[in-house]
Amino acid sequence: IMTSILKADTIQDTDGNNIINENSNTITIGASGDTTNIIGTLQNNGASVGGNTQPYFTAYQTGNYSLAHNTATTIVLANTTVNSGTDYNTSNGRFTPEVAGDYFVTATHTNRHGSSGNAVVLFESYIQKNGSNTNFRASAGNEGTSTVGQSVSTMGGIITMNGSSDYLTLSVTQYDYTGNAAQNICEIQFSAFKMI
């Protein structure tokens, strides 16, 4: 059996530029301006370096979404711009990531109110986890007597998911205090991605 040990503090290329240098227990690979190509897995004490922001999704709807008066409605969006792993379900509006971790979640929509005439309308929106409201909510509406109004609701934050059964939904309730009528939201976006 033949073994060999190469001992050197510095390895240079043919032009005299340092490729690898060890000084005071610090190893420097390459130099400023170099491109270092790692083939295989780069690790930090046995753990992978870097991270993966998957799964992620953005679901949306541009047209009107009708909401009955005083009824919490789970918003189901049929369109996605991205949906890695298809973890957002366009049939029930649930995002059920299959990777445990912390997720940054956002939701936004435009509220259209006052169609019942001089209506005072409030929209309350929540990002829900497993069907229960989280601390991430938004309230918007009109308190005047205009027959037509518009406002924007937006919310977001970090939510921990178990990677198996936990799911997220967007829920909106509208209150038409004047006519108990249905009102619309539109320009809806609901997104999440795993944080590194």
Side-chain angles (χ1 to χ4, degrees):
I1 298 174
M2 178 184 275
T3 62
S4 60
I5 297 174
L6 176 64
K7 293 185 177 181
D9 288 332
T10 303
I11 299 175
Q12 297 182 337
D13 62 18
T14 56
D15 294 325
N17 301 309
N18 286 358
I19 298 174
I20 299 176
N21 176 262
E22 190 276 335
N23 185 7
S24 299
N25 295 324
T26 298
I27 299 173
T28 302
I29 300 175
S32 178
D34 288 352
T35 298
T36 303
N37 184 25
I38 305 295
I39 298 174
T41 302
L42 182 63
Q43 293 188 333
N44 176 11
N45 198 26
S48 295
V49 174
N52 188 345
T53 58
Q54 295 187 26
Y56 53 81
F57 83 98
T58 293
Y60 70 96
Q61 178 170 318
T62 55
N64 284 341
Y65 199 113
S66 181
L67 302 174
H69 165 68
N70 196 21
T71 302
T73 302
T74 297
I75 306 302
V76 180
L77 303 171
N79 306 299
T80 59
T81 54
V82 290
N83 190 10
S84 73
T86 62
D87 288 340
Y88 178 79
N89 187 321
T90 56
S91 297
N92 63 18
R94 293 183 178 185
F95 174 61
T96 311
E98 297 177 5
V99 179
D102 295 329
Y103 286 76
F104 186 75
V105 188
T106 63
T108 185
H109 56 82
T110 299
N111 311 304
R112 293 181 173 174
H113 41 74
S115 60
S116 61
N118 295 328
V120 177
V121 180
L122 172 68
F123 294 85
E124 288 190 347
S125 309
Y126 288 90
I127 295 173
Q128 293 188 322
K129 178 178 177 181
N130 302 330
S132 297
N133 294 340
T134 66
N135 291 328
F136 306 114
R137 65 181 294 250
S139 295
N142 73 323
E143 297 181 359
T145 59
S146 173
T147 57
V148 177
Q150 188 163 289
S151 59
V152 176
S153 296
T154 185
M155 70 215 87
I158 299 170
I159 300 175
T160 301
M161 307 294 285
N162 65 12
S164 57
S165 59
D166 284 345
Y167 66 90
L168 299 174
T169 50
L170 172 61
S171 176
V172 182
T173 304
Q174 74 85 10
Y175 304 92
D176 180 341
Y177 293 103
T178 305
N180 297 341
Q183 302 289 345
N184 294 322
I185 60 174
C186 63
E187 299 168 343
I188 311 163
Q189 291 188 25
F190 183 32
S191 302
F193 63 86
K194 182 180 177 295
M195 300 179 64
I196 294 175

